[in-house]
Amino acid sequence: MFRIARTLALAFFMAVAATAATALPAQAVAELPGGKANYVVSLGHMKDAARNNWVRLGTYEFDATAGTVSARMYVWEHATPKARVGTGTVPDSSCTTTDPKSTTHVLACEVKTAGGFTGSPTDLRTGIYTLQTDTINGVSTPTVWIKWNTATAWTEKWAVETGSNLARLSFVHNTKATTGYGYGSNAALTTRRAMSTVQAHPSTIRLQGTTWTADKVGTTGGTFHHENFRTCETTTWCLTYLQPSSSTACQKEGGCPNYGGGTAANISSIQYYIQKLANTDRRDTLWHWCTCLPMERNERCYTGNSHVKPMYQIIDDTGTFRGWVGVEASYYPGNITDPRKSDMFQVFRLADWT
C-alpha cells in the first residue's frame, strides 16, 4: 500500500523565533488564513530516545470577526498509553472473508482504532491569531501566527498556501510540537464524504509524514492506492484491501520468524481497513497489520501491536474529498522491558495536494 521511504534523521523543522506575546493584536483581524475558516490539523512532538512524545488530531476554527481561533483536538501521550478499542464494526462478507488462506479478501475482524478516538476530543483551546507576511527560505510567504490561551506559553506559526477551493498550512514553528499538517476550507466541519466517494476519488493520494519507533524519528512517504480498496455492500462505511507485499516489512525482521519467510500471498500480505467513525464529523480510522502476525499467535484477528491511525477527512469548499490528515498512536500491548520503546507514533497527511 505504501511505497515507503524512511530516514532515521529528525523530521525537517524550521524554528522561527517567537515574538513576544504582546506583539499579537487583540483586535479583530477581519481576515481568515487563506480565506478559509475550518481546518483539520495533525500535530506531534517526537524526538529520538524520548518518552514525552505526543500526537494530536482535530480541528481549528477561525473567526475573522473576533480574530480568534478554537481548537478541538484528540491527544495521545507517550507516557500515558491507551489501549486499542473496537469500533463495533466487522465489515461484511462482500469485502472480507473467514478463510485465512484467501489471497483476495481481508479477514472478517472487528476494526480497531486508538483509545479515546470514539469519544469526544479532550484538548479544547482558544486563542488569537494574526496574519502577516514573512520571508521563509528567501521567499515572501503569507503566514498565520496563533497564540493559545494556555497556562504555559504556546504559540505556533504556519505558512499559508491557497489552492483550488482549499488552503494548506505548512509547519514553520510551534512552541511544543515538532511537526504538523493542516488543510482548510469553508465547508462545515460536519461535512464528510462516504467511503464509496473516497474509493472513487479520481486523483492520486500521496503519503507524507514523520514517524517515531524504536527510539528513532524518521520520515515516511509514497503513494496510497485508495483505488485498490473494496467498498463493502452492507457495512457501507468501510473499505478493505488485502495488499500482496513484496517488502521485508512482513518478513522475519517484521516479527514473523515462522511464517514471514513464506512466499504465499496470504502470508506476506497486509490487511488494511478504513472505517468512518461518525456521521456528524470527519473522523475516519485506518487499521492495518501483517497477515503473518496473528498466524504466529494462532489467532485469526491480530491482537498484538497493530497500526491504529485516527484520521480526519480533508474536504474542500465544494464538498469534495481531498484526502486526510492523521496520526498514529499504537501502544505496545505486551509486558516486555521498556514497552514504550516499541510504541509507534506518526503524524501524516494522505492528500492529493502535498
Side-chain angles (χ1 to χ4, degrees), residues 270-289:
I270 302 176
Q271 313 262 332
Y272 281 92
Y273 307 74
I274 298 176
Q275 180 193 330
K276 81 170 182 181
L277 289 186
N279 291 318
T280 56
D281 60 41
R282 300 189 192 174
R283 278 177 296 160
D284 289 339
T285 193
L286 171 64
W287 183 46
H288 62 91
W289 38 275

Side-chain angles (χ1 to χ4, degrees), residues 218-292:
T219 59
T220 185
T223 301
F224 185 82
H225 292 285
H226 62 288
E227 72 278 3
N228 290 338
F229 278 74
R230 294 175 179 269
T231 54
C232 303
E233 293 178 1
T234 303
T235 46
T236 56
W237 51 89
C238 293
L239 297 174
T240 66
Y241 174 51
L242 183 70
Q243 179 206 345
S245 175
S246 59
S247 73
T248 60
C250 295
Q251 302 302 320
K252 292 181 180 180
E253 57 266 48
C256 295
N258 297 312
Y259 294 96
T263 58
N266 68 305
I267 290 178
S268 60
S269 61
I270 302 176
Q271 313 262 332
Y272 281 92
Y273 307 74
I274 298 176
Q275 180 193 330
K276 81 170 182 181
L277 289 186
N279 291 318
T280 56
D281 60 41
R282 300 189 192 174
R283 278 177 296 160
D284 289 339
T285 193
L286 171 64
W287 183 46
H288 62 91
W289 38 275
C290 296
T291 303
C292 62

Side-chain angles (χ1 to χ4, degrees), residues 15 45 56 79 85 215 236 239 294 333 352:
H45 173 279
R56 278 171 160 81
V85 296
D215 274 339
T236 56
L239 297 174
D352 62 13

